[in-house]
Amino acid sequence: MRKLTLLLAGTLALAACGGSDDDPKDAATVQPTPSASSPTGAAAGSGTPSGRLRSMPAQLKFEGTTLDGKPFTGSNLAEQPVVFWFWAPWCPKCQSEGPAVAKVAERYKGRVAFVGIAGLDKSKDQMQKFVSRTGTGSITQLDDREGDLYKHFKVTSQSSFLFMKRDGSSDRASGPLGEDDLEKHVKALVGG
């Protein structure tokens, strides 16, 4: 009986902490990060009073590595609009839209986070060359050679975009998207 009581107490304690991170329908609550900035350049927890908890969309429950080898956590993108761009280094559509992605990302810098997700190839070197050729080095680029992030976001092809609003709702589009089409999607994110 004592073991059952301890097990029940432990279960209740875990439930009070927000539950399991493995359950995608479970909305976790996180404390704003005290660091000065996130990988997207926006201040962590910006727009929220210090100490206030915020809700994180299930889609942002991921971890990865940037192409330059730095750790990246999806929760750093919470409470801001995000454009996820799924590309492959050998994809001609991706190559053609890269400059437009770079221009729109620069135009909305500080208001919308742009994250490139490089996948469907095993060569990190080719991914880095793609970023250099397309001029997209100013946005966060994630290394997804194993396809974990493509699976997480349920993306099956390149070029694909996922446009996520602050509240976690999202729209998808397949590329190639030119500068004007991409701008329309981004304006919808910021309500403009």
Side-chain angles (χ1 to χ4, degrees), residues 17-168:
C17 292
S20 167
D21 283 342
D22 296 330
D23 186 357
K25 66 183 186 282
D26 181 26
T29 304
V30 294
Q31 187 72 26
T33 309
S35 63
S37 66
S38 70
T40 62
S46 61
T48 57
S50 179
R52 179 183 282 178
L53 298 179
R54 60 185 181 194
S55 177
M56 182 177 66
Q59 291 185 73
L60 296 181
K61 293 182 183 180
F62 72 88
E63 293 182 356
T65 304
T66 63
L67 283 179
D68 58 358
K70 296 177 184 164
F72 184 88
T73 303
S75 63
N76 287 336
L77 301 169
E79 295 195 3
Q80 61 185 314
V82 184
V83 174
F84 291 100
W85 174 41
F86 297 84
W87 58 268
W90 44 264
C91 167
K93 291 189 299 183
C94 305
Q95 177 92 19
S96 70
E97 69 194 354
V101 171
K103 286 179 185 176
V104 176
E106 183 61 31
R107 201 171 298 135
Y108 286 88
K109 189 175 188 174
R111 294 187 292 160
V112 177
F114 279 72
V115 179
I117 300 179
L120 306 176
D121 196 285
K122 297 295 179 191
S123 173
K124 187 174 180 178
D125 185 53
Q126 290 301 316
M127 292 175 175
Q128 290 170 326
K129 286 179 182 177
F130 174 93
V131 169
S132 180
R133 276 193 315 267
T134 59
T136 55
S138 63
I139 68 172
T140 299
Q141 300 284 357
L142 301 181
D143 179 351
D144 192 34
R145 286 178 282 172
E146 300 302 316
D148 294 334
L149 294 174
Y150 268 66
K151 289 175 195 165
H152 174 77
F153 288 100
K154 297 179 174 85
V155 172
T156 58
S157 66
Q158 79 300 326
S159 164
S160 293
F161 291 86
L162 178 78
F163 301 94
M164 182 182 289
K165 293 183 178 181
R166 284 183 171 93
D167 65 5

